[in-house]
Structures are given as C-alpha cells and as structure tokens.
Amino acid sequence: MAYARETGIPTRFVWPYGGRSVHLCGSFTGWSGHYPMTPVEGCPTVFQTICNLPPGFHQYKFIVDGEWRHDAHLPIVSGNYGEVHTVFVGGESGCVPPIRIPEIQPGSNMDVDNEAFQRVVKVSDGALHEALSRLPETDLEVSCHRIAVFLSTRKAYELLPESGKVIALDVDLPVKQAFHILHEQGIPTAPLWDFCKGEFVGVLSALDFILIIRELGSHGSNLTEEELETHTISAWKETKLYLSRQIDGNERLIPRKLVHVEPDENLKDIALKILDNNVATVPVIHSSSGDALFPQLLHLASLSGILKCICRYFRHSSGSLPLLQLPICAIPLGTWVPRIGETARRPLAMLRPSASLGAALSLLVQAQISSIPIVDDNDSLLDVYSRSDITALAEDKVYTHINLEEMTVHQALQLGQEPLSPYGFSSQRCHMCLRSDPLLLVMERLSKPGVRRLIVVEAGSKRVEGIIALGDIFRFLLR
C-alpha cells in the first residue's frame, strides 16, 4: 500500500538503473509503506517520484523488482535497515530556512528596480553566516557530490538544441571580414575550419580582435591597417604565436591545439575541460567514421548550457540539496569588494565611464577577465564593458580611425546601440543579483543564453559589491 503524501516539501527521488517495478521506501513511510516510481518520458530506465516530506533528515532505500537496492553513486550510511541513503529537507527549526525565489517575468532585464529586487532583505549578514555554520560541512559535500554524480551520468548530446545553427569560419578568410561576421551574427566566438587539412584547427574569439586592435595601436607594430584588409585568420594566428612568445626550448613556435569534446563525453569532464583551458566554449565534434569525409561540428558547449541542465534537473528537488538554498554571500565563491577590515583575495576590477578604451582592453587582457563593471564616483553600476563589445568596432571599420587612448569606455559602449541614459546604462546588458539571493536563483540566471556573470549590487543604490561568474559556480561545485 502506498504511503500517504498530501503535505510537506516536494522532494524528488531518482533510480537511473532500470527495472520492471521500482518503489521508494524509507523512514518517512515507517519502512512499511512505499512510493511507486515511474519511468521518465523518453528514458525508460530512469525512474522517479516526488514525495512531500516533512523538514529534517530522512533515510531511504529503493525496492527494485521486489529486492532492496541502494544507489552506489549516492552517499551511504549504516542504519537499522542496512545500508541506506540520507536526504535533508530544509525548513526544520535549527536548520537553514528555505529562501523564497522570486518569479522572474519573461523578458525581464533583471534590473534592481524591478519587483524582484525591491523585496526587503530581512536576513542580516550575521544570521546568514550563523545559518552557514549550522549547516554541516558534510551536507555541503553531499550536495556538491550529488551534482557531480549527475553531471557524470549525462552526455554532451543533452546540450544539443532541437534546432539552431553553428557558424564556422574558414582560416583563409580575411580577419576584417571575420570580425564583421561575428558582429553581425551577434556571436563572441567561432570555430575555424582548415579545408586543406580537412579538420577544425582552432577558434576565433573577441580576444583575438582585442589583441589585433592593440597591435594596430602600438608604435612598433608589424601589422598595418592596409595589411588587415587581406590578412587571413591563419596568418593572424601565426602572428599571435610570436606576440604571445609561445616558444619551446628549441625556439620553435608551439601552436595551441584545439580544445574540443566528443558528443559521448560526460558533462562533468566537459565542464572541467572548459575550466582547465580557460575557454568560454568548446566545440562538440563528431569524428568522421564510415563514409563521412569530414568531422561534424554539432554544437558549441558552454558552462551556461551545462548549468541549465543542472537547474532543470534539481529545480524541483532543491529541498534535498540545502546548498542551493544558501544565500550567495554565505558561500565562498565569486569576487567581492572587501569590507572595512577585510583583505581581498583577488581585486575586483572596475572603471569609470571616462576611462580610456585602451585602459579597458589592457585590463581585460592582463587580468584575464571577460568583463568590467563601469561605475560612477559612488561605485554604483552604470554599465558593463565585455570582451565581445570590441566587435562593435568592426562595423564600418571604426577601428581604423580611433585612438584607443582618446576614446572613452562610454563612447565605445555607445557604438551600435541606443543610449538609454547620459551614461548609456542598459539593464538588458547588466545582469545583476543581490548578496542575499539563494544560490539556485543565481544559477538559474547564469544559465540563460548570453549571461556569463552577474554583478552583485546593493538594492536601491546599485552599488557594486561583487561579481559571480559561471566559472566561479563550477569551481565551487566541482571542488
């Protein structure tokens, strides 16, 4: 007989190993009743059920085809019923209370003035850190472990959209034309195809354009504006090797190999490959086999796509992962403006709108960051200058008649867009959050296409307090 489950906190349980009949049994059923589990649509070997459980810690096991079973990939403890799993459901007195996640309306720009950001934050920093201290370290480890296990069981195929396009560029294409394509298509990067070799050999990104613009502006440059008209991508890549001084002991140039993944690689390995190689995307390439003449480019995998899979899977079972309910200020991730008496581990780079474009580009390259908050004299957020913004200079060949030290960041941001304020502030470009926002909400926002980081701001004043990037999330979850 199935155990009644009318009240409580919805908690999802999954058995991914198949069977004819799968049930869930645990301390919440008195170890006598059971919950029937049903196959996931399209995945007949994956069974799931959602149970309404009271707050606190619970033990459980699975009954598969009449036999007691446990999942070897989940944490196991010894109980009165042998080896069992445990699950924590938030809301119990003395535990971290679930934090309400506000609804984000379709088309919202995530501006701090909208209803979601006008809510009153009633939890003080002291209470947040107290809540964190009450959450056992083992629970944090269990949460991260469950997410890591989930990623290890999912393949790159799950990242492929139902429809879409992937743009690749020929290495013999002139650099000027290539960056015009990036700007027109609104994409920050594109894989490179070498027809002679019959393979993908690299990636062209906004960082390449930044290096080219800086090289054009330097007095000792070997690259002229005239040469750029016919300078091919392959020629630029060779020039880039000289500029970066990538020379081995025999003083031979070492070209960087293309970082790519196969469609059957798991999402955890893909995320680690992106982090280890400090790249924004990796091409998903199906190697040629049989009658196929060339490898097939299927997709550009990114951390945001992987994060979307995590959010989709755990969205309705966040109660069993207390980590997702914690406010981001209580979790060691991101880059923060130090408070009085604190020492910053890594400085948070910010610029005024009057700063030169040359200073912004140098900061992006030297600090190895992808964006810079643009703030006023009170450090309130006005805009964000990102690497991809540099491609706006490709339109009408603006780069040929500007001086990097004379053009301001404010002027550069106005290229190709309508100014929305005296400083060109655009809430569509500035994706923000509050320090009190729960991790799940931050992850949901970062999983949206085109969002690579959230600026943490003070409610009302928009004063910049920190930055949470996609890489920060995955370095913490996969620690």
Side-chain angles (χ1 to χ4, degrees), residues 21-23 63-68:
S21 175
V22 182
H23 294 80
I63 304 176
V64 182
D65 297 336
E67 296 183 1
W68 288 96

Side-chain angles (χ1 to χ4, degrees), residues 131-285:
L132 179 61
S133 64
R134 288 202 302 266
L135 189 65
E137 179 67 22
T138 54
D139 290 336
L140 294 178
E141 295 296 334
V142 167
S143 295
C144 291
H145 177 73
R146 285 192 60 188
I147 293 175
V149 169
F150 164 76
L151 293 177
S152 298
T153 59
R154 297 302 191 275
K155 305 297 183 182
Y157 282 113
E158 298 197 27
L159 300 177
L160 305 184
E162 293 183 1
S163 62
K165 63 180 180 180
V166 182
I167 296 176
L169 303 176
D170 192 292
V171 293
D172 292 329
L173 195 68
V175 170
K176 177 183 70 72
Q177 185 178 348
F179 284 114
H180 184 76
I181 293 174
L182 293 184
H183 175 65
E184 288 295 317
Q185 296 295 324
I187 55 176
T189 183
L192 300 176
W193 172 258
D194 190 320
F195 184 79
C196 294
K197 295 181 179 179
E199 62 183 12
F200 292 96
V201 294
V203 170
L204 189 72
S205 69
L207 179 59
D208 288 296
F209 198 20
I210 291 176
L211 296 176
I212 288 176
I213 296 298
R214 295 181 70 205
E215 180 67 9
L216 285 174
S218 63
H219 296 294
S221 172
N222 294 320
L223 184 63
T224 65
E225 296 172 6
E226 292 75 16
E227 290 175 335
L228 194 60
E229 295 289 328
T230 57
H231 206 62
T232 65
I233 297 175
S234 59
W236 157 246
K237 288 297 184 180
E238 292 182 7
T239 303
K240 184 180 177 181
L241 288 179
Y242 284 102
L243 294 176
S244 59
R245 304 295 193 272
Q246 295 178 346
I247 301 177
D248 64 8
N250 297 320
E251 298 194 358
R252 291 176 301 182
L253 294 176
I254 307 175
R256 184 176 181 179
K257 294 183 178 180
L258 173 65
V259 180
H260 71 283
V261 298
E262 296 284 344
D264 59 350
E265 290 189 44
N266 68 68
L267 298 187
K268 179 182 178 181
D269 289 344
I270 294 175
L272 292 174
K273 186 171 290 189
I274 291 175
L275 294 175
D276 293 342
N277 290 277
N278 193 29
V279 294
T281 60
V282 291
V284 180
I285 299 176

Side-chain angles (χ1 to χ4, degrees), residues 250-403:
N250 297 320
E251 298 194 358
R252 291 176 301 182
L253 294 176
I254 307 175
R256 184 176 181 179
K257 294 183 178 180
L258 173 65
V259 180
H260 71 283
V261 298
E262 296 284 344
D264 59 350
E265 290 189 44
N266 68 68
L267 298 187
K268 179 182 178 181
D269 289 344
I270 294 175
L272 292 174
K273 186 171 290 189
I274 291 175
L275 294 175
D276 293 342
N277 290 277
N278 193 29
V279 294
T281 60
V282 291
V284 180
I285 299 176
H286 179 61
S287 300
S288 58
S289 60
D291 296 331
L293 296 178
F294 301 112
Q296 295 176 293
L297 176 62
L298 303 179
H299 185 60
L300 291 181
S302 65
L303 292 180
S304 62
I306 299 175
L307 191 60
K308 185 176 182 179
C309 291
I310 296 176
C311 294
R312 184 169 57 241
Y313 184 81
F314 291 103
R315 182 178 296 124
H316 301 296
S317 60
S318 59
S320 63
L321 292 178
L323 171 64
L324 299 184
Q325 302 177 26
L326 287 178
I328 55 173
C329 67
I331 304 173
L333 81 165
T335 304
W336 296 80
V337 175
R339 295 192 169 187
I340 298 177
E342 293 181 344
T343 301
R345 295 182 180 180
R346 188 178 67 179
L348 178 60
M350 295 186 287
L351 288 176
R352 302 284 186 261
S354 58
S356 70
L357 178 58
L361 299 184
S362 296
L363 187 57
L364 288 172
V365 173
Q366 295 170 5
Q368 296 183 343
I369 54 180
S370 61
S371 65
I372 306 170
I374 308 302
V375 299
D376 63 13
D377 292 338
N378 296 317
D379 289 342
S380 295
L381 187 64
L382 298 173
D383 212 321
V384 175
Y385 192 83
S386 304
R387 283 183 185 178
S388 56
D389 289 319
I390 194 67
T391 59
L393 299 182
E395 187 173 13
D396 299 326
K397 298 195 296 185
V398 174
Y399 62 87
T400 63
H401 51 267
I402 65 169
N403 186 307

